[in-house]
Amino acid sequence: MKIRKSVKFAFLALILAIICCGIFIFFQRITPKRIPSNRLPLQVIKFETDGYITKKFLIKALAIKKDAIFSDIDIFALKKKLLSITQIKDAYIERQFPASIFIKIKERSPLLKFAIKSENKVELLFVDKEDGSIFRGSCLPKKVILSTPYVELNLEKTTTNKIGYKPITGISHVKQLIQLLRNEYPYIYEDINKFSLLRYDSREKASWSRIEIYQKSGRVIVFNPNKLEIQLLNLDYLLNEKHFPRENVQKIDLSRIESAIIETR
């Protein structure tokens, strides 16, 4: 009797063990495996800019893979890539746990544009309105490109930046002239074909420094970089004077500030 009872108990214990094992295996299969928090795939890229560069352009430029592991991403390498895009003036990148990256960029804004030939092709470059840096446009809307005036200028080559040209120093004078024309004398601004900085010198004692405007109507207007408001008042007076020979005027030199020299054809 004792042997039968012990055999029966052992059999029941075996059955119970098999059932428990089956339940354990079943739940192991249906329960998702947890990924260690430090091996999570990158889930979100948050992006903020003060300009025109798009998130799509940025992701392509950074070459971030879809299956990239969050902890493997080198944010310092990403920042270096961002700053190689010449339209980006500054960049900030941070990790946001559990698996996101936040990117904030500050962009350059075009004041002037010009075309250069490089490797048998023509390339359009821009001058930054804040510090005169030269940059390639990225994601700039067509409207912005078309509304940015052309400029002739002397370029100095350098190896200290990605674009290969030194910034245009003293760009604040040119920026002021453009702002005054746009805001107060739009009829003059709309007639501009291009600016010329070939005679421009940003040094304080450069009395010979000039900013020139070539108009669509064929006139050339010469400005002294200083006291632009007075020169524009004189120009406005001349252009609106009844007896001013507009069609015959070839050049208006306002650089003496208090007076103007007019050349006719």
Side-chain angles (χ1 to χ4, degrees):
M1 289 294 291
K2 287 182 179 181
I3 294 172
R4 283 183 179 181
K5 285 182 180 181
S6 60
V7 171
K8 188 176 180 180
F9 179 78
F11 180 73
L12 290 172
L14 179 63
I15 295 295
L16 184 62
I18 292 170
I19 292 170
C20 290
C21 184
I23 291 170
F24 175 77
I25 292 171
F26 173 75
F27 278 104
Q28 278 289 96
R29 286 183 177 179
I30 65 171
T31 303
K33 294 182 180 181
R34 291 185 177 181
I35 301 173
S37 59
N38 63 340
R39 299 302 297 169
L40 286 171
L42 177 64
Q43 295 173 354
V44 180
I45 297 176
K46 300 174 185 178
F47 174 59
E48 189 177 309
T49 182
D50 63 349
Y52 302 104
I53 289 177
T54 63
K55 185 176 179 180
K56 183 179 179 181
F57 172 86
L58 200 76
I59 292 173
K60 185 178 179 180
L62 294 176
I64 299 175
K65 295 180 181 178
K66 292 182 178 180
D67 57 350
I69 300 302
F70 174 66
S71 60
D72 291 345
I73 294 173
D74 186 345
I75 62 174
F76 298 103
L78 290 184
K79 183 173 182 178
K80 188 176 180 180
K81 282 185 180 180
L82 285 175
L83 295 178
S84 70
I85 301 169
T86 56
Q87 188 171 310
I88 297 178
K89 190 174 185 177
D90 198 9
Y92 171 77
I93 307 177
E94 72 172 17
R95 297 180 190 273
Q96 293 184 345
F97 292 92
S100 299
I101 285 179
F102 173 66
I103 298 173
K104 183 177 181 180
I105 63 172
K106 181 176 176 61
E107 296 185 38
R108 301 188 182 282
S109 183
L111 179 70
L112 300 162
K113 67 186 175 189
F114 61 95
I116 60 167
K117 285 186 179 180
S118 59
E119 299 177 359
N120 298 321
K121 66 177 182 178
V122 177
E123 185 178 20
L124 192 64
L125 299 179
F126 298 87
V127 180
D128 179 51
K129 68 179 183 181
E130 297 300 332
D131 63 7
S133 293
I134 310 299
F135 68 94
R136 292 183 179 89
S138 301
C139 305
L140 291 176
K142 187 176 181 180
K143 184 179 179 181
V144 172
I145 296 172
L146 291 176
S147 64
T148 303
Y150 274 100
V151 65
E152 290 180 326
L153 71 174
N154 296 310
L155 292 172
E156 291 186 65
K157 291 189 176 183
T158 183
T159 57
T160 59
N161 57 40
K162 293 288 181 180
I163 199 70
Y165 297 106
K166 290 183 179 180
I168 307 303
T169 56
I171 201 67
S172 59
H173 293 293
V174 186
K175 179 183 176 182
Q176 183 190 10
L177 177 58
I178 291 175
Q179 287 177 336
L180 286 169
L181 287 167
R182 278 177 174 168
N183 298 333
E184 299 181 30
Y185 307 96
Y187 77 97
I188 300 175
Y189 183 79
E190 288 167 7
D191 191 35
I192 293 174
N193 183 35
K194 65 180 178 181
F195 285 80
S196 175
L197 301 181
L198 295 176
R199 297 171 60 198
Y200 180 64
D201 191 324
S202 64
R203 288 175 292 183
E204 189 176 346
K205 294 182 179 180
S207 59
W208 57 86
S209 181
R210 300 289 183 266
I211 300 171
E212 296 174 315
I213 290 177
Y214 289 79
Q215 294 188 292
K216 296 172 186 175
S217 54
R219 283 189 298 266
V220 179
I221 304 174
V222 183
F223 292 92
N224 186 311
N226 302 298
K227 298 182 180 181
L228 291 166
E229 295 91 342
I230 297 173
Q231 295 171 76
L232 285 169
L233 281 172
N234 292 338
L235 178 63
D236 183 55
Y237 173 79
L238 285 172
L239 295 178
N240 288 286
E241 215 281 323
K242 285 184 180 181
H243 303 290
F244 184 72
R246 295 176 185 82
E247 295 180 1
N248 296 323
V249 172
Q250 184 176 355
K251 184 177 182 180
I252 304 174
D253 189 341
L254 303 159
S255 62
R256 294 190 179 185
I257 299 174
E258 298 297 338
S259 61
I261 299 173
I262 299 170
E263 292 182 16
T264 57
R265 290 181 177 88

